[in-house]
Amino acid sequence: MDHITFLVAVVIVTALVFDFTNGFHDTANAMATSIATGALKPRTAVLISGILNVVGAFLSTEVARTISGGIVDDTLVTPGMIFAGLVGAILWNLLTWLVGLPSSSSHALFGGLIGAVWVGAGEHGVHFDKVVEKVLIPAVASPLVAGLAALVATYLAYRLTARARETSVTKGFRIGQIASASLVSLAHGTNDAQKTMGVITLTLISAGALGHDAGPPLWVIASAGLAIGLGTYLGGWRIIRTMGKGLTEIRSPQGFAAETAATTVILTSAHLGFALSTTQVASGSILGAGLGRRLAEVRWGVAGRMVIAWLITLPAAALVGGLAASVVTHGGDTGTAVVALAGAALAGGIVLASRRNPVSAHNVNDTHEVTLRTAPPTPVGEAA
């Protein structure tokens, strides 16, 4: 433990703070549709999700290895660079949470880390081939695959239950949603908690506390799982509202289809070591479920704002991470303190701003931003 200096300890704590924000930022990925359809009460949903996120953190470490020894050169990284990258990721998470945009916590982390290492160690410190293979390609493919799978599953669900009583169909799929949403939470812990494990492991490698290409120790796995689980339990109600009510009007068969599609994509990617965005997967599956039901209307304006957020998340976090790394690199301990204080002040300001328009478990389903057509549009030329 001689290698655990004060700066390393600060970086580890900051990484767990990011993990916490990742939890409440991404609660919607698992539970937005179940809350929107009434399959689970809001508080019950986030409790189940939090517990299963912790369990999921222990299932695999492939994604953690991608972070700790894949996208950046761990021989050139310093704890100060990692700290700077985490500050960029945390601020982006809080900003998008404030406006209720389900952007990618994963890409915020990757962007912050890439920007910090690029500034601190030069462009050769970033493995851009791995960034393309493990981050960018999955970012494009995963929401499309999840959306297509959810669209087909939704279509089949309604076709197979077309002659059944609507109340029976709703009740049955709500029960199914409890299982499917739980699996998304498990998958989220398996994928997203590993990203913080990877960052902490990278920090320990850069400080000489672990050997090159080492995997995360048990205490790292446990602490990352607990941090993301606690954040999940607190509930990111603003983003839950957007994903549950803002994209499309979700009914229980659609929710079940969306959650099942998202689980399949996330678990498969975690097994392969792809550090994908669970937010993008969940959003893609919800859009697919909306398109799969006849007469359901997708709110494309909200979807468009989400896509814009996805596109700018990585470069925006990289910019903040790079600026922070420049201050840390040239300012030493003083620079690190300046970045820490500035980050804390900005984070505090965002949290205070959120209190002007609070969203909680009590009003998360109050706003219905999406209309639903009750009949096909009247053909042109016919009387209304």
Side-chain angles (χ1 to χ4, degrees):
M1 299 296 288
D2 294 338
H3 297 282
I4 307 298
T5 63
F6 177 73
L7 177 57
V8 170
V10 169
V11 175
I12 292 173
V13 171
T14 307
L16 293 176
V17 171
F18 165 79
D19 204 25
F20 176 83
T21 66
N22 190 349
F24 75 72
H25 196 280
D26 288 4
T27 309
N29 297 347
M31 292 300 174
T33 53
S34 293
I35 292 172
T37 63
L40 287 168
K41 294 181 178 180
R43 281 295 177 192
T44 302
V46 296
L47 176 60
I48 293 173
S49 186
I51 292 172
L52 290 175
N53 264 278
V54 176
V55 174
F58 287 88
L59 297 183
S60 173
T61 58
E62 290 303 316
V63 174
R65 290 179 181 274
T66 296
I67 304 299
S68 62
I71 63 175
V72 295
D73 188 342
D74 59 19
T75 62
L76 299 177
V77 174
T78 65
M81 296 177 198
I82 299 172
F83 172 73
L86 287 168
V87 169
I90 291 171
L91 290 177
W92 183 256
N93 266 0
L94 290 174
L95 180 62
T96 50
W97 162 75
L98 175 65
V99 298
L101 270 180
S103 69
S104 172
S105 296
S106 304
H107 289 179
L109 176 60
F110 302 149
L113 189 59
I114 289 169
V117 173
W118 195 344
V119 169
E123 63 180 86
H124 55 282
V126 181
H127 296 154
F128 289 101
D129 56 333
K130 290 295 183 182
V131 172
V132 173
E133 176 190 351
K134 297 288 189 178
V135 179
L136 297 183
I137 291 177
V140 175
S142 58
L144 296 176
V145 172
L148 180 60
L151 186 153
V152 173
T154 299
Y155 174 78
L156 292 175
Y158 278 105
R159 285 297 299 270
L160 293 173
T161 59
R163 298 184 179 181
R165 294 173 57 189
E166 184 175 352
T167 53
S168 299
V169 171
T170 299
K171 182 179 179 180
F173 276 109
R174 280 181 176 177
I175 294 173
Q177 273 195 274
I178 296 174
S180 59
S182 297
L183 286 173
V184 176
S185 297
L186 190 71
H188 182 266
T190 303
N191 195 284
D192 276 45
Q194 287 191 59
K195 293 158 189 171
T196 298
M197 295 179 208
V199 169
I200 295 176
T201 302
L202 179 61
T203 303
L204 295 174
I205 291 173
S206 69
L210 291 177
H212 182 68
D213 289 335
L218 180 60
W219 70 267
V220 172
I221 297 173
S223 59
L226 289 171
I228 200 169
L230 179 59
T232 302
Y233 174 69
L234 290 182
W237 304 112
R238 294 171 179 273
I239 299 175
I240 289 175
R241 171 181 284 182
T242 299
M243 291 184 70
K245 293 293 183 182
L247 282 172
T248 185
E249 190 71 22
I250 289 288
R251 295 182 180 178
S252 54
Q254 296 167 281
F256 178 79
E259 290 158 359
T260 303
T263 299
T264 303
V265 172
I266 294 168
L267 286 179
T268 301
S269 298
H271 177 71
L272 296 174
F274 292 139
L276 54 70
S277 166
T278 54
T279 300
Q280 292 181 0
V281 172
S283 301
S285 66
I286 291 173
L287 284 171
L291 293 171
R293 181 168 71 85
R294 183 174 177 268
L295 302 182
E297 184 176 344
V298 172
R299 191 176 179 87
W300 291 110
V302 176
R305 290 195 294 272
M306 286 171 49
V307 171
I308 292 173
W310 294 352
L311 292 175
I312 67 174
T313 290
L314 197 149
L319 177 61
V320 178
L323 290 173
S326 179
V327 175
V328 170
T329 301
H330 294 96
D333 291 341
T334 302
T336 301
V338 169
V339 169
L341 291 173
L346 289 171
I350 292 171
V351 172
L352 288 175
S354 71
R355 295 183 178 179
R356 297 178 182 177
N357 182 27
V359 181
S360 68
H362 302 293
N363 65 354
V364 68
N365 279 338
D366 287 356
T367 301
H368 295 259
E369 299 182 11
V370 180
T371 59
L372 184 67
R373 294 195 299 269
T374 56
T378 302
V380 177
E382 292 187 11

